[in-house]
Amino acid sequence: MVKICCIGAGYVGGPTMAVIALKCPSIEVAVVDISVPRISAWNSDQLPIYEPGLDEVVKQCRGKNLFFSTDVEKHVFEADIVFVSVNTPTKTRGLGAGKAADLTYWESAARMIADVSKSDKIVVEKSTVPVKTAEAIEKILTHNSKGINYQILSNPEFLAEGTAIKDLFNPDRVLIGGRQSPEGLKAIQALKDVYAHWVPEENIITTNLWSAELSKLAANAFLAQRISSVNAMSALCEATGADVTEVSYAVGKDTRIGPKFLNASVGFGGSCFQKDILNLVYICECNGLPEVAEYWKQVIKVNDYQKSRFVNRIVSSMFNTVANKKVAILGFAFKKDTGDTRETPAIDVCKGLLGDKAQLSIYDPQVTEDQIQRDLSMNKFDWDHPLHLQPMSPTTVKKVHTVWDAYEATKDAHAVCILTEWDEFKTLDFQRIYDQMQKPAFVFDGRNVVDGNKLRDIGFIVYAIGKPLDAWLKDMPAVA
Ligand code: NAD
Ligand code: UDX
């Protein structure tokens, strides 16, 4: 029986390995992590992440050929294939701080593999890493190899949160990069055989190591660039009376462009896009390509601009101050169908409003009060560096309330901000909400999920990203 071990039981390691276990009953899969609470949660009925369809997959395989454990060394020792799916956050200190990937967790995993291994292993980069990381990993492993043969493969993950199981069942492609030597090609084939249990052969792409590593950063940069492009257009739409939904539709009808990923929003979030583009920028700078670095940096700048533009619009519309006004925040996760808040635009929007002394009442169907308070107390990039976490600031505690119901959040509020596109927000009773709000009552739709005209008929003043402005908003132009 082939044995797989995955180091890192997070948003990628957990779902990916669960699907491998489901699709490959002949393979034994162990997912290991240094975090005891995370592993306990994977072994319980309350999985550590919310992901549609994940519970069913885990329930079918757990205890049969899928195991979650903190005994990292034992499972690495036993495995033929070791996936490394640890976090690779942005460095917050030292050389490259604010841009470069922090490979501390990766390096410590690699050193541990070198320490405990007694047989040949295929080591698979599942984490998103800077191009050329495999070379560094090879050095760490072979310097301590004790005669063991390691083959390093790059097999980046393309799943998106909220649709992880669907994406894993039916991936657009699986990418495997490896050394082009006979041993490297043999390792590529071994990993290909795993995916071939359910992925059609033509969807499994094999490349050299550096192409695979770079393709992951490139794919995320291209995806994020589309959002920043449409968001940049949304600002121009507001200035001219064009409607960004109509523009996106017309643009996306061009088969060379395509209709997906053209939804204007308050900004993209999530643990990947910003981190990976900053990493790409850093790699370009290190390779003497400042113009290329500058090009990609602009994707992040437009994203930051979009978030601050949204906050400015709220404040300027409400007579230039939100001090002591209750603002209801509907949605805190970075997208629907996940409880993940990493780099969610809601953090910057809430911090912006708190900066203007607003009182926030936040409702998200999947995000806990603790998580929200932590997110609003943290410095940029600190979320993935547990050692840097600050205690909650007393101001945040006082000004932010988390509630478990959209109607509770909007009671006596001056404004409603929709920051995540949860389906349930589309069917809220906005008449009821209007009746219990202060007047004038505002809706700021950061995800274009509600019908602005219906809301205007009720009496709301409505702002929606990239849509023609109400007369009220035109009279109170936001300063970008
Ligand atoms: P995560 O933070 O959810 O999970 C990483 C896990 O690794 C944590 O549970 C942590 O405790 C564990 N870990 C860290 N060091 C360890 C060590 N030495 N030994 C054992 N466990 C260790 O991160 P994630 O979202 O799963 O992302 C993992 C990687 O995959 C990152 O490089 C990310 O960029 C990439 N990625 C993420 C997504 C996504 O949607 N989240 C998608 C594609 C790729
Ligand atoms: C992304 C990539 O899509 C995935 O391939 C990669 O493996 C990890 O990073 P993820 O961050 O989980 O996945 O979600 P994604 O669907 O890409 O959304 C990212 C952000 O962009 C979210 O905040 C989302 O709301 C926003 N977005 C997405 C838009 O604002 N407009 C769009 O049209 C699409």
Side-chain angles (χ1 to χ4, degrees), residues 326-330 410 413-418 430 433 437 441-445 460:
K326 178 174 171 181
V327 178
I329 303 291
L330 299 189
T410 51
H414 290 258
V416 178
C417 295
I418 301 172
F430 275 96
I433 289 176
M437 283 176 66
F442 296 85
V443 169
F444 298 95
D445 183 359
F460 283 104

Side-chain angles (χ1 to χ4, degrees), residues 7-14 32-35 38 49 72 84-89 104-106 108-110 112 126-129 156-161 216 220 271-272 275-276 334 340 342 383-384:
I7 306 175
Y11 285 86
V12 168
V32 297
D33 204 293
I34 41 177
S35 162
R38 227 175 198 185
I49 60 179
V72 181
V84 184
S85 185
V86 300
N87 35 333
T88 48
T104 315
Y105 304 100
W106 230 107
S108 99
M112 186 271 303
K126 194 46 130 171
S127 303
T128 305
V129 290
E157 184 48 59
F158 294 98
L159 67 80
E161 288 176 31
K216 175 63 198 178
N220 273 355
S271 62
C272 295
K275 160 179 86 77
D276 294 346
F334 82 97
D340 194 354
R342 295 179 290 178
W383 52 266
D384 216 359

Side-chain angles (χ1 to χ4, degrees), residues 313-333:
R313 183 70 80 185
I314 297 171
V315 177
S316 69
S317 310
M318 296 171 70
F319 314 102
N320 242 1
T321 177
V322 286
N324 300 318
K325 291 178 187 166
K326 178 174 171 181
V327 178
I329 303 291
L330 299 189
F332 197 83

Side-chain angles (χ1 to χ4, degrees), residues 431 434 451-462:
Q431 183 66 57
Y434 181 79
D451 182 336
N453 287 335
K454 274 196 190 147
L455 265 53
R456 284 184 193 102
D457 288 346
I458 293 173
F460 283 104
I461 295 159
V462 183

Side-chain angles (χ1 to χ4, degrees), residues 128-400:
T128 305
V129 290
V131 55
K132 290 283 184 185
T133 298
E135 201 166 65
I137 301 306
E138 254 170 9
K139 281 188 184 135
I140 293 172
L141 291 173
T142 48
H143 260 76
N144 303 284
S145 81
K146 302 167 258 171
I148 295 166
N149 178 26
Y150 294 102
Q151 279 304 317
I152 321 294
L153 299 179
S154 165
N155 172 221
E157 184 48 59
F158 294 98
L159 67 80
E161 288 176 31
T163 53
I165 298 301
K166 199 169 123 267
D167 296 344
L168 288 164
F169 277 6
N170 205 0
D172 286 345
R173 78 308 210 179
V174 166
L175 178 58
I176 305 173
R179 289 278 181 201
Q180 301 301 298
S181 60
E183 299 79 18
L185 293 172
K186 202 169 146 211
I188 291 176
Q189 188 58 46
L191 187 56
K192 209 173 160 185
D193 290 344
V194 172
Y195 285 106
H197 280 85
W198 79 98
V199 180
E201 172 123 19
E202 62 274 18
N203 288 357
I204 306 178
I205 306 171
T206 59
T207 65
N208 79 29
L209 271 171
W210 323 129
S211 304
E213 287 179 337
L214 187 54
S215 298
K216 175 63 198 178
L217 294 180
N220 273 355
F222 275 51
L223 288 167
Q225 174 270 328
R226 275 174 82 96
I227 303 169
S228 279
S229 294
V230 76
N231 282 345
M233 284 300 161
S234 76
L236 190 56
C237 287
E238 288 166 32
T240 56
D243 178 328
V244 76
T245 311
E246 293 175 355
V247 173
S248 292
Y249 181 74
V251 170
K253 272 288 178 189
D254 186 323
T255 51
R256 292 168 302 173
I257 297 172
K260 293 185 184 164
F261 245 70
L262 284 178
N263 293 324
S265 67
V266 57
F268 61 74
S271 62
C272 295
F273 283 170
Q274 173 168 287
K275 160 179 86 77
D276 294 346
I277 293 177
L278 289 171
N279 185 356
L280 187 65
V281 166
Y282 184 70
I283 295 167
C284 292
E285 287 170 352
C286 292
N287 281 282
L289 301 168
E291 289 81 2
V292 185
E294 208 45 49
Y295 174 77
W296 288 112
K297 220 185 263 176
Q298 200 59 29
V299 173
I300 306 279
K301 282 193 191 161
V302 168
N303 198 46
D304 288 339
Y305 165 72
Q306 189 75 345
K307 290 180 275 187
S308 59
R309 204 167 74 75
F310 189 76
V311 173
N312 292 349
R313 183 70 80 185
I314 297 171
V315 177
S316 69
S317 310
M318 296 171 70
F319 314 102
N320 242 1
T321 177
V322 286
N324 300 318
K325 291 178 187 166
K326 178 174 171 181
V327 178
I329 303 291
L330 299 189
F332 197 83
F334 82 97
K335 63 187 282 197
K336 74 169 180 177
D337 291 338
T338 178
D340 194 354
T341 61
R342 295 179 290 178
E343 296 291 350
T344 175
I347 295 177
D348 286 346
V349 170
C350 288
K351 281 186 173 173
L353 295 172
L354 287 169
D356 217 89
K357 298 201 170 70
Q359 300 271 358
L360 304 183
S361 185
I362 305 178
Y363 165 64
D364 186 290
Q366 284 296 333
V367 184
T368 62
E369 177 165 15
D370 264 12
Q371 185 62 50
I372 290 172
Q373 296 282 2
R374 251 198 316 274
D375 286 336
L376 295 179
S377 311
M378 251 181 255
N379 292 326
K380 209 169 164 59
F381 302 128
D382 273 357
W383 52 266
D384 216 359
H385 298 265
L387 294 178
H388 305 181
L389 298 189
Q390 314 281 329
M392 272 180 240
S393 89
T395 337
T396 313
V397 174
K398 235 171 65 202
K399 291 263 186 196
V400 178

